[in-house]
Amino acid sequence: MGSSKINCDDLTPAGRICLHPEMDLIIHCAFGVKNPIDVDSIKAFVRNSLMVEHPRFCSLLIDIDKHIIIVDPTTKDAVEDDDSNHVDSSDNNDDVERIVNDYLADLSVTTPLSEDKPLWELHLLLKQNCIVYRIHHALVDGISLMSLFQADCRKADDPKAVPTVVSGGRRDSTCSGLRGNSNGWIRVLLGSLNMVLFSCVFCLEFVMRGFWLRDQKTVITGGPGVELWPRKLATAKFRMEDMKVVKEAIASATINDVLFGVISSGLSRYLDHRYPNALSDGLRLTGLEMDMSELMENNSRSRWGNKFGALLLPVYYQKGGVDDHLEYVRRAKKMIDRKKRTFEARFSYSISCLVLYWLGLKAAYRRTYRLICNTSFTVSNVVGPKEIIIGDNPVTFLRVNVSSMPQALVMHMVSYEGRADMQILVAKDIIPDPEFLAKCFEGALLDMKEAATRSASFNPIV
């Protein structure tokens, strides 16, 4: 990857690290569409999109044909479109989700983007009615990518209108409950002291994670070199309505709190299945979450894409689970709220800047690589647009994952059209059954919904 493809001076520290040859992170966004894919329509859509106008995507002259790749997923053959290629898939009974996930898993570890053109591609899986958009992570992050889709696509019920993104709103967790309280200033002072104390603790841990502090080894642990191992991909499917039922059962909770509660419960279930009687109760597993909200809100002049910090979010193995399934969400909310009140995300971003500018790109990459190796999983949650069309073709699902990292477990959730699909990318020699892990997550949410429904029936709103 060279500066001829991307102007590195225009990249944030995270973007430059993503561009490092040994990191080389690529985002894979899969769109399922309702009707058969018309290649000419897709080309017209691309020609009229921001991808061919934004300087990040057109640092070299763009030949649309070189970016459109038609794939036969039954043979894993892929060729650049020459207007005469028609691919025939031989098995009409192939499961679409399995074929698409297998294809994405292979792309995640074996296929870099070609360096002779701007770093993005569209793969068309004609038989499966699926469009896979591959784009280098140095160009965009999750929020920037959703903004791009929002600008390029149109509403399914109004083809002339730009789609909107559903927002769950944000709570002011620092000042809530202080107004009208005569002792409010005392609570503010104590809150400020807690913020400073926990900021010091969390920032110190963040530094230590970049050197030697790491999670205890379990059956989901990755490590150096695991990014080169073969991958499997499974999809955990959630209904947004179910997540909202759980969210409403806990005061001031968010969808992100619910997601992390589901991950905590689901991982405990999975470890009970894979590692019975071998783990101590309360064992900590540390997740890595990228946090963009605060940095973007407090810096309206920030460069487009990849301006984010990281949060270390621990979950704790509960042998046999807990009686009250909502307790997982309560713990997640308490932990995430405490993290959000500190400077951890901003500190992690500043550390990346300092290491990059003082010690160079190689040192910044090594620090980031060790941080990833010393944690157990990565998770992200991005709010997708409402129902959209690509060209004149309605989108039926929207899923995202990234190329391989040294962790054995990486999860990315995107909400779309009342659903939230979480892609679970694993190193298959370490986690051979991601489909079962997906069922653990799905079962955890359903149990939480049932507990929330019972709680609401016992405590009706008067």
Side-chain angles (χ1 to χ4, degrees), residues 16-118:
R16 294 181 65 181
I17 292 171
C18 290
L19 197 60
H20 191 279
E22 295 180 48
M23 180 71 75
D24 201 23
L25 283 182
I26 300 169
I27 299 175
H28 301 124
C29 189
F31 297 88
V33 291
K34 181 178 180 180
N35 303 317
I37 295 173
D38 184 314
V39 177
D40 291 333
S41 176
I42 295 297
K43 288 183 179 181
F45 171 79
V46 173
R47 288 192 183 98
N48 295 321
S49 71
L50 289 181
M51 288 186 292
V52 296
E53 297 178 3
H54 197 289
R56 282 284 184 90
F57 300 87
C58 57
S59 54
L60 297 176
L61 181 64
I62 289 180
D63 180 351
I64 297 298
D65 289 341
K66 289 188 176 182
H67 289 269
I68 304 294
I69 296 175
I70 296 178
V71 182
D72 180 355
T74 61
T75 63
K76 300 297 188 294
D77 291 335
V79 296
E80 293 176 356
D81 181 48
D82 60 1
D83 290 326
S84 63
N85 180 62
H86 297 280
V87 178
D88 181 28
S89 183
S90 60
D91 189 353
N92 292 327
N93 297 320
D94 279 343
D95 179 77
V96 171
E97 182 175 302
R98 177 182 57 79
I99 293 175
V100 172
N101 280 347
D102 286 349
Y103 183 74
L104 290 170
D106 286 346
L107 284 180
S108 297
V109 74
T110 62
T111 312
L113 287 167
S114 174
E115 298 183 27
D116 64 354
K117 59 190 178 185

